[in-house]
Amino acid sequence: MAQIGREVYVIGVGMPKWGELWDKSLRDIFVESALLAIDDAGVDHIDSLIIGSMSPGLYNKQEHIASVMADYLGVKGIPATRVESACASGGLAVRTGFMEVASGMHDIVLAGGVEKMWDGEDFTMVLATAADQEYEAFHGITFPGLYAMIANRYLYEFPDTKREDLALVSVKNHKNGAKNPRAQYRKEITVENVLSSTMVADPLRLLDCSPVTDGAAAVILATKEVAEKLNKHPFTQIVGVGAATDTIALDKRDSLISFSSVRKSAEQAYKMAGLNPQDINTAEVHDCFSIAEIIVTEDLGFFEKGKGAIAVREGKTEIGGKIPVNTSGGLKSKGHPVGATGVAQIVEVTEQLRGESGDRQVKEPKIGLTQNMGGTAGSSVVHILKRR
Ligand code: COA
């Protein structure tokens, strides 16, 4: 797939602090992020609103949220679309906004994501609706349980990988997240902390898991003409986009240790961008559990299959390493309000490319990648951004 239609630029980003936001409503947190992005872009209007959200009906008893958010943002009347693909809803919202601008349909689009998970009665049950109900969830397995099976298989197939290597993913991401003022858990942790934290689903412990989070994020996508007219930030273009699906049920897969949706979405994005994995200078990937980051970095082509955990041990994914991964703190430390996660990844990479990441800035990155997935990679979305 070559570059299609008009060039698309990220001209504004917005993300307030994430966490347990008991004093704010679903609409409050979305509007706050949208206003930050609009202000950052310096636009006086938007033509269209796209919003990614997995399950506001179950968490907050509110559906029809695209119209609700357009109204409370003060832009009622414009087209507003909700996009859902479980934890990949945010990435898919950005892809949908990209298509609206690239196609010539709209010049300025706000793509955002939101989830307010603490309001729900049972977040584990709501998350499990993204698994296969008939073959998985009805039998009692949860997402930590599914990823635990994946982790066990990985450790069996690659005995050079040690249990401690999984813990090192969380240690690295908390180190980065401690420097991110918007992260939910801003504390550094040790391997010993991870290995002694509460067992959730063997071998995954509490500190191998992304947390439950309230949060929102938004970006403004626009044409080159709009970006040049505003001329407010270094130009950041979306040069590659990919999206793919796989079976939701793990038992229907050929392999538990490689995600075909991640490989396919990455192939599309690299092809559109005319780039390969070695060209990427910084990446935000979907570390919903420590094992996920390892498998995803292999499937994106950063490391050979079976070598992802060793790369973490050798510091290759640290800031200053060969390919810094999850400079924001990732889902693990920054938090994982599921529908907002894919949009927040674009926020982080855009700020990295602009040189605005403060203490966690990668040295002069030119090209960044985001990878966001639904469930156990039943869906995956990849974006590649380039500083012009
Ligand atoms: N990382 C770091 N700290 C965490 C944490 C996490 N993932 N989850 C909870 N904590 C902290 C809490 O703040 C609390 O600290 P405190 O005692 O100082 O207040 C402590 O750990 C215990 O928290 P608690 O709320 O009792 O944890 P829990 O057992 O209810 O939930 C998990 C922990 C891991 C089960 C929950 O976060 C979870 O389900 N995560 C996975 C979410 C998921 O599946 N997402 C979709 C991915 S596909």
Side-chain angles (χ1 to χ4, degrees):
M1 196 195 305
Q3 168 68 49
I4 46 155
R6 305 190 294 179
E7 292 184 359
V8 180
Y9 288 76
V10 181
I11 63 165
V13 296
M15 180 184 154
K17 179 157 174 31
W18 287 0
E20 290 183 39
L21 307 177
W22 296 107
D23 57 338
K24 293 177 182 170
S25 71
L26 181 73
R27 63 189 73 180
D28 288 341
I29 60 174
F30 178 74
V31 167
E32 193 180 356
S33 71
L35 290 176
L36 285 171
I38 288 169
D39 191 44
D40 185 53
V43 288
D44 60 6
H45 73 284
I46 55 171
D47 301 323
S48 169
L49 168 69
I50 315 287
I51 180 159
S53 194
M54 175 185 157
S55 213
L58 290 173
Y59 283 127
N60 321 102
K61 298 193 169 50
Q62 177 70 67
E63 299 286 11
H64 207 170
I65 68 163
S67 292
V68 171
M69 297 311 172
D71 182 11
Y72 277 81
L73 185 57
V75 295
K76 78 174 179 321
I78 66 167
T81 310
R82 170 172 159 207
V83 173
E84 189 275 311
S85 192
C87 309
S89 302
L92 218 53
V94 175
R95 179 176 181 269
T96 306
F98 173 91
M99 292 191 296
E100 288 198 345
V101 176
S103 68
M105 182 175 270
H106 296 298
D107 290 345
I108 306 174
V109 175
L110 188 150
V114 66
E115 212 81 51
K116 195 152 193 311
M117 301 171 73
W118 281 100
D119 291 2
E121 285 160 22
D122 182 350
F123 49 69
T124 302
M125 180 280 288
V126 178
L127 287 166
T129 63
D132 188 307
Q133 290 300 302
E134 294 187 15
Y135 288 93
E136 294 175 332
F138 284 175
H139 301 280
I141 196 152
T142 61
F143 271 106
L146 290 165
Y147 273 96
M149 289 200 290
I150 293 169
N152 279 319
R153 187 71 205 181
Y154 189 98
L155 292 168
Y156 171 79
E157 297 237 5
F158 303 112
D160 285 350
T161 298
K162 304 294 172 215
R163 173 62 187 84
E164 290 74 8
D165 296 328
L166 304 191
L168 283 169
V169 172
S170 300
V171 171
K172 166 183 69 72
N173 290 349
H174 270 262
K175 185 174 165 195
N176 294 344
K179 297 178 185 146
N180 183 351
R182 297 169 298 198
Q184 179 173 7
Y185 287 112
R186 294 190 65 191
K187 56 180 179 194
E188 294 207 27
I189 57 173
T190 62
V191 168
E192 184 46 42
N193 294 146
V194 180
L195 298 182
S196 62
S197 62
T198 306
M199 181 63 81
V200 176
D202 194 14
L204 301 178
R205 292 174 178 270
L206 188 136
L207 290 174
D208 288 290
C209 306
S210 58
V212 172
T213 311
D214 300 332
V219 299
I220 309 286
L221 307 176
T223 60
K224 186 177 188 183
E225 289 68 32
V226 172
E228 283 176 348
K229 194 168 163 213
L230 292 164
N231 199 17
K232 202 170 167 214
H233 300 288
F235 296 152
T236 308
Q237 185 188 352
I238 299 182
V239 292
V241 183
T245 53
D246 194 0
T247 68
I248 290 191
L250 284 186
D251 70 294
K252 306 286 186 294
R253 305 251 179 108
D254 294 335
S255 167
L256 287 186
I257 52 144
S258 178
F259 299 145
S260 74
S261 65
V262 177
R263 295 197 311 272
K264 287 176 186 163
S265 53
E267 274 165 29
Q268 289 171 26
Y270 288 134
K271 192 167 176 198
M272 188 190 286
L275 296 168
N276 62 53
Q278 288 68 45
D279 296 318
I280 306 300
N281 306 133
T282 185
E284 289 289 299
V285 311
H286 200 99
D287 60 320
C288 50
F289 298 92
S290 49
I291 184 64
E293 180 173 307
I294 290 165
I295 292 178
V296 165
T297 53
E298 295 168 352
D299 289 336
L300 290 170
F302 297 158
F303 308 110
E304 262 175 63
K305 187 52 68 187
K307 304 283 188 214
I310 295 160
V312 179
R313 194 194 304 158
E314 291 173 347
K316 290 185 176 157
T317 54
E318 299 258 1
I319 295 171
K322 178 179 171 231
I323 164 75
V325 172
N326 285 328
T327 59
S328 67
L331 284 55
K332 174 67 211 73
S333 160
K334 183 181 56 183
H336 183 28
V338 286
T341 286
V343 183
Q345 292 178 329
I346 302 279
V347 173
E348 176 71 13
V349 167
T350 301
E351 291 180 345
Q352 284 285 354
L353 296 180
R354 287 179 183 175
E356 293 174 352
S357 297
D359 289 351
R360 54 185 208 289
Q361 180 66 49
V362 174
K363 193 159 179 280
E364 296 173 4
K366 294 274 180 296
I367 299 168
L369 178 147
T370 65
Q371 183 276 332
N372 178 211
M373 64 197 180
T376 43
S379 55
S380 173
V381 187
V382 170
H383 286 95
I384 300 176
L385 288 83
K386 188 169 187 177
R387 181 176 165 154
R388 290 295 184 189

PDB file of all heavy atoms in Angstrom, residues 87 127 143-144 185 206-207 209-212 288-289 332 336, ligand 1:
ATOM      1  N   CYS A  87      -9.373  -2.664  23.220  1.00  0.00           N
ATOM      2  CA  CYS A  87      -8.266  -1.798  23.660  1.00  0.00           C
ATOM      3  C   CYS A  87      -7.592  -1.095  22.488  1.00  0.00           C
ATOM      4  O   CYS A  87      -6.731  -0.229  22.695  1.00  0.00           O
ATOM      5  CB  CYS A  87      -7.229  -2.610  24.432  1.00  0.00           C
ATOM      6  SG  CYS A  87      -7.930  -3.601  25.734  1.00  0.00           S
ATOM      7  N   LEU A 127     -13.807  -5.931  30.774  1.00  0.00           N
ATOM      8  CA  LEU A 127     -12.660  -6.194  29.888  1.00  0.00           C
ATOM      9  C   LEU A 127     -12.797  -7.546  29.194  1.00  0.00           C
ATOM     10  O   LEU A 127     -12.480  -7.690  28.013  1.00  0.00           O
ATOM     11  CB  LEU A 127     -11.355  -6.152  30.689  1.00  0.00           C
ATOM     12  CG  LEU A 127     -10.896  -4.762  31.130  1.00  0.00           C
ATOM     13  CD1 LEU A 127      -9.806  -4.861  32.180  1.00  0.00           C
ATOM     14  CD2 LEU A 127     -10.420  -3.942  29.934  1.00  0.00           C
ATOM     15  N   PHE A 143      -8.427 -11.588  31.143  1.00  0.00           N
ATOM     16  CA  PHE A 143      -7.248 -11.202  30.350  1.00  0.00           C
ATOM     17  C   PHE A 143      -5.920 -11.537  31.021  1.00  0.00           C
ATOM     18  O   PHE A 143      -5.008 -12.031  30.347  1.00  0.00           O
ATOM     19  CB  PHE A 143      -7.327  -9.745  29.894  1.00  0.00           C
ATOM     20  CG  PHE A 143      -8.042  -9.670  28.579  1.00  0.00           C
ATOM     21  CD1 PHE A 143      -9.326  -9.204  28.493  1.00  0.00           C
ATOM     22  CD2 PHE A 143      -7.450 -10.175  27.429  1.00  0.00           C
ATOM     23  CE1 PHE A 143     -10.005  -9.217  27.289  1.00  0.00           C
ATOM     24  CE2 PHE A 143      -8.114 -10.196  26.218  1.00  0.00           C
ATOM     25  CZ  PHE A 143      -9.398  -9.713  26.146  1.00  0.00           C
ATOM     26  N   PRO A 144      -5.771 -11.300  32.316  1.00  0.00           N
ATOM     27  CA  PRO A 144      -4.505 -11.760  32.917  1.00  0.00           C
ATOM     28  C   PRO A 144      -4.296 -13.264  32.699  1.00  0.00           C
ATOM     29  O   PRO A 144      -3.175 -13.718  32.443  1.00  0.00           O
ATOM     30  CB  PRO A 144      -4.681 -11.416  34.404  1.00  0.00           C
ATOM     31  CG  PRO A 144      -5.627 -10.250  34.414  1.00  0.00           C
ATOM     32  CD  PRO A 144      -6.578 -10.504  33.282  1.00  0.00           C
ATOM     33  N   TYR A 185       0.935   5.690  37.714  1.00  0.00           N
ATOM     34  CA  TYR A 185       1.827   5.188  38.778  1.00  0.00           C
ATOM     35  C   TYR A 185       3.242   5.690  38.518  1.00  0.00           C
ATOM     36  O   TYR A 185       3.983   5.117  37.721  1.00  0.00           O
ATOM     37  CB  TYR A 185       1.799   3.659  38.824  1.00  0.00           C
ATOM     38  CG  TYR A 185       0.504   3.120  39.396  1.00  0.00           C
ATOM     39  CD1 TYR A 185      -0.401   2.435  38.595  1.00  0.00           C
ATOM     40  CD2 TYR A 185       0.186   3.321  40.736  1.00  0.00           C
ATOM     41  CE1 TYR A 185      -1.597   1.956  39.132  1.00  0.00           C
ATOM     42  CE2 TYR A 185      -1.011   2.848  41.273  1.00  0.00           C
ATOM     43  CZ  TYR A 185      -1.886   2.169  40.461  1.00  0.00           C
ATOM     44  OH  TYR A 185      -3.066   1.705  40.989  1.00  0.00           O
ATOM     45  N   LEU A 206       1.021  -8.834  39.972  1.00  0.00           N
ATOM     46  CA  LEU A 206       0.380  -7.520  39.880  1.00  0.00           C
ATOM     47  C   LEU A 206       1.250  -6.530  39.098  1.00  0.00           C
ATOM     48  O   LEU A 206       0.746  -5.790  38.245  1.00  0.00           O
ATOM     49  CB  LEU A 206       0.091  -6.991  41.283  1.00  0.00           C
ATOM     50  CG  LEU A 206      -0.739  -5.709  41.343  1.00  0.00           C
ATOM     51  CD1 LEU A 206      -1.820  -5.801  42.409  1.00  0.00           C
ATOM     52  CD2 LEU A 206       0.126  -4.486  41.597  1.00  0.00           C
ATOM     53  N   LEU A 207       2.563  -6.550  39.348  1.00  0.00           N
ATOM     54  CA  LEU A 207       3.418  -5.558  38.687  1.00  0.00           C
ATOM     55  C   LEU A 207       3.840  -5.978  37.276  1.00  0.00           C
ATOM     56  O   LEU A 207       4.627  -5.275  36.636  1.00  0.00           O
ATOM     57  CB  LEU A 207       4.624  -5.218  39.563  1.00  0.00           C
ATOM     58  CG  LEU A 207       4.252  -4.422  40.822  1.00  0.00           C
ATOM     59  CD1 LEU A 207       5.474  -4.231  41.727  1.00  0.00           C
ATOM     60  CD2 LEU A 207       3.642  -3.063  40.485  1.00  0.00           C
ATOM     61  N   CYS A 209       1.180  -6.376  35.287  1.00  0.00           N
ATOM     62  CA  CYS A 209      -0.102  -6.017  34.659  1.00  0.00           C
ATOM     63  C   CYS A 209      -0.243  -4.510  34.511  1.00  0.00           C
ATOM     64  O   CYS A 209       0.141  -3.755  35.408  1.00  0.00           O
ATOM     65  CB  CYS A 209      -1.270  -6.476  35.528  1.00  0.00           C
ATOM     66  SG  CYS A 209      -1.256  -8.216  35.956  1.00  0.00           S
ATOM     67  N   SER A 210      -0.845  -4.067  33.400  1.00  0.00           N
ATOM     68  CA  SER A 210      -1.259  -2.670  33.310  1.00  0.00           C
ATOM     69  C   SER A 210      -2.396  -2.466  34.301  1.00  0.00           C
ATOM     70  O   SER A 210      -3.126  -3.406  34.612  1.00  0.00           O
ATOM     71  CB  SER A 210      -1.721  -2.342  31.891  1.00  0.00           C
ATOM     72  OG  SER A 210      -2.783  -3.196  31.513  1.00  0.00           O
ATOM     73  N   PRO A 211      -2.538  -1.246  34.814  1.00  0.00           N
ATOM     74  CA  PRO A 211      -3.571  -1.013  35.822  1.00  0.00           C
ATOM     75  C   PRO A 211      -4.933  -0.659  35.211  1.00  0.00           C
ATOM     76  O   PRO A 211      -5.086  -0.603  34.001  1.00  0.00           O
ATOM     77  CB  PRO A 211      -3.013   0.185  36.592  1.00  0.00           C
ATOM     78  CG  PRO A 211      -2.173   0.920  35.615  1.00  0.00           C
ATOM     79  CD  PRO A 211      -1.635  -0.103  34.646  1.00  0.00           C
ATOM     80  N   VAL A 212      -5.884  -0.413  36.084  1.00  0.00           N
ATOM     81  CA  VAL A 212      -7.225   0.041  35.704  1.00  0.00           C
ATOM     82  C   VAL A 212      -7.218   1.561  35.829  1.00  0.00           C
ATOM     83  O   VAL A 212      -6.781   2.097  36.858  1.00  0.00           O
ATOM     84  CB  VAL A 212      -8.262  -0.621  36.632  1.00  0.00           C
ATOM     85  CG1 VAL A 212      -9.641  -0.041  36.421  1.00  0.00           C
ATOM     86  CG2 VAL A 212      -8.241  -2.134  36.403  1.00  0.00           C
ATOM     87  N   CYS A 288       0.214  -4.266  27.644  1.00  0.00           N
ATOM     88  CA  CYS A 288      -0.872  -4.488  28.625  1.00  0.00           C
ATOM     89  C   CYS A 288      -0.406  -5.455  29.713  1.00  0.00           C
ATOM     90  O   CYS A 288      -0.857  -5.383  30.859  1.00  0.00           O
ATOM     91  CB  CYS A 288      -2.122  -4.977  27.940  1.00  0.00           C
ATOM     92  SG  CYS A 288      -1.836  -6.366  26.843  1.00  0.00           S
ATOM     93  N   PHE A 289       0.481  -6.371  29.355  1.00  0.00           N
ATOM     94  CA  PHE A 289       1.166  -7.245  30.313  1.00  0.00           C
ATOM     95  C   PHE A 289       2.625  -7.303  29.862  1.00  0.00           C
ATOM     96  O   PHE A 289       2.911  -7.136  28.672  1.00  0.00           O
ATOM     97  CB  PHE A 289       0.523  -8.644  30.333  1.00  0.00           C
ATOM     98  CG  PHE A 289      -0.906  -8.589  30.784  1.00  0.00           C
ATOM     99  CD1 PHE A 289      -1.936  -8.466  29.861  1.00  0.00           C
ATOM    100  CD2 PHE A 289      -1.227  -8.601  32.140  1.00  0.00           C
ATOM    101  CE1 PHE A 289      -3.262  -8.359  30.276  1.00  0.00           C
ATOM    102  CE2 PHE A 289      -2.549  -8.497  32.563  1.00  0.00           C
ATOM    103  CZ  PHE A 289      -3.568  -8.372  31.625  1.00  0.00           C
ATOM    104  N   LYS A 332       1.810   0.085  31.342  1.00  0.00           N
ATOM    105  CA  LYS A 332       2.125  -0.414  32.681  1.00  0.00           C
ATOM    106  C   LYS A 332       2.174   0.697  33.729  1.00  0.00           C
ATOM    107  O   LYS A 332       1.600   0.573  34.799  1.00  0.00           O
ATOM    108  CB  LYS A 332       3.490  -1.149  32.624  1.00  0.00           C
ATOM    109  CG  LYS A 332       4.013  -1.605  33.945  1.00  0.00           C
ATOM    110  CD  LYS A 332       3.146  -2.703  34.523  1.00  0.00           C
ATOM    111  CE  LYS A 332       3.097  -2.714  36.016  1.00  0.00           C
ATOM    112  NZ  LYS A 332       2.318  -1.661  36.634  1.00  0.00           N
ATOM    113  N   HIS A 336      -3.845   2.480  31.565  1.00  0.00           N
ATOM    114  CA  HIS A 336      -4.467   1.898  30.371  1.00  0.00           C
ATOM    115  C   HIS A 336      -5.986   2.083  30.413  1.00  0.00           C
ATOM    116  O   HIS A 336      -6.733   1.130  30.667  1.00  0.00           O
ATOM    117  CB  HIS A 336      -4.067   0.405  30.290  1.00  0.00           C
ATOM    118  CG  HIS A 336      -4.568  -0.307  29.084  1.00  0.00           C
ATOM    119  ND1 HIS A 336      -4.821   0.308  27.876  1.00  0.00           N
ATOM    120  CD2 HIS A 336      -4.871  -1.635  28.892  1.00  0.00           C
ATOM    121  CE1 HIS A 336      -5.244  -0.596  27.001  1.00  0.00           C
ATOM    122  NE2 HIS A 336      -5.293  -1.769  27.593  1.00  0.00           N
TER     123      HIS A 336
HETATM  124  N1  COA B   1       0.475  -1.539  38.683  1.00  0.00           N
HETATM  125  C1  COA B   1       0.974  -0.904  39.774  1.00  0.00           C
HETATM  126  N2  COA B   1       0.277  -0.778  40.913  1.00  0.00           N
HETATM  127  C2  COA B   1      -0.966  -1.271  40.950  1.00  0.00           C
HETATM  128  C3  COA B   1      -1.559  -1.908  39.834  1.00  0.00           C
HETATM  129  C4  COA B   1      -0.778  -2.044  38.687  1.00  0.00           C
HETATM  130  N3  COA B   1      -1.261  -2.692  37.601  1.00  0.00           N
HETATM  131  N4  COA B   1      -2.818  -2.287  40.159  1.00  0.00           N
HETATM  132  C5  COA B   1      -3.022  -1.896  41.436  1.00  0.00           C
HETATM  133  N5  COA B   1      -1.904  -1.292  41.905  1.00  0.00           N
HETATM  134  C6  COA B   1      -1.685  -0.825  43.273  1.00  0.00           C
HETATM  135  C7  COA B   1      -2.893  -0.093  43.839  1.00  0.00           C
HETATM  136  O1  COA B   1      -2.746   1.303  43.739  1.00  0.00           O
HETATM  137  C8  COA B   1      -2.863  -0.530  45.276  1.00  0.00           C
HETATM  138  O2  COA B   1      -1.860   0.223  45.960  1.00  0.00           O
HETATM  139  P1  COA B   1      -2.114   0.758  47.434  1.00  0.00           P
HETATM  140  O3  COA B   1      -2.344  -0.469  48.258  1.00  0.00           O
HETATM  141  O4  COA B   1      -0.851   1.500  47.766  1.00  0.00           O
HETATM  142  O5  COA B   1      -3.322   1.633  47.323  1.00  0.00           O
HETATM  143  C9  COA B   1      -2.360  -1.954  45.239  1.00  0.00           C
HETATM  144  O6  COA B   1      -1.567  -2.027  44.030  1.00  0.00           O
HETATM  145  C10 COA B   1      -3.460  -2.983  45.221  1.00  0.00           C
HETATM  146  O7  COA B   1      -4.430  -2.564  44.308  1.00  0.00           O
HETATM  147  P2  COA B   1      -5.810  -3.279  44.059  1.00  0.00           P
HETATM  148  O8  COA B   1      -6.745  -2.259  43.487  1.00  0.00           O
HETATM  149  O9  COA B   1      -6.253  -4.046  45.276  1.00  0.00           O
HETATM  150  O10 COA B   1      -5.442  -4.325  42.897  1.00  0.00           O
HETATM  151  P3  COA B   1      -6.392  -5.374  42.281  1.00  0.00           P
HETATM  152  O11 COA B   1      -5.916  -6.704  42.745  1.00  0.00           O
HETATM  153  O12 COA B   1      -7.843  -5.026  42.447  1.00  0.00           O
HETATM  154  O13 COA B   1      -6.062  -5.206  40.732  1.00  0.00           O
HETATM  155  C11 COA B   1      -4.932  -6.027  38.832  1.00  0.00           C
HETATM  156  C12 COA B   1      -4.785  -5.463  40.228  1.00  0.00           C
HETATM  157  C13 COA B   1      -3.542  -6.276  38.274  1.00  0.00           C
HETATM  158  C14 COA B   1      -5.703  -7.367  38.885  1.00  0.00           C
HETATM  159  C15 COA B   1      -5.717  -5.011  37.945  1.00  0.00           C
HETATM  160  O14 COA B   1      -4.981  -3.816  37.859  1.00  0.00           O
HETATM  161  C16 COA B   1      -5.965  -5.562  36.560  1.00  0.00           C
HETATM  162  O15 COA B   1      -6.938  -6.292  36.337  1.00  0.00           O
HETATM  163  N6  COA B   1      -5.113  -5.230  35.582  1.00  0.00           N
HETATM  164  C17 COA B   1      -5.251  -5.722  34.225  1.00  0.00           C
HETATM  165  C18 COA B   1      -6.169  -4.849  33.424  1.00  0.00           C
HETATM  166  C19 COA B   1      -6.434  -5.453  32.084  1.00  0.00           C
HETATM  167  O16 COA B   1      -6.642  -6.643  31.918  1.00  0.00           O
HETATM  168  N7  COA B   1      -6.464  -4.626  31.027  1.00  0.00           N
HETATM  169  C20 COA B   1      -6.743  -5.058  29.689  1.00  0.00           C
HETATM  170  C21 COA B   1      -5.529  -5.622  29.094  1.00  0.00           C
HETATM  171  S1  COA B   1      -5.848  -6.552  27.618  1.00  0.00           S
END
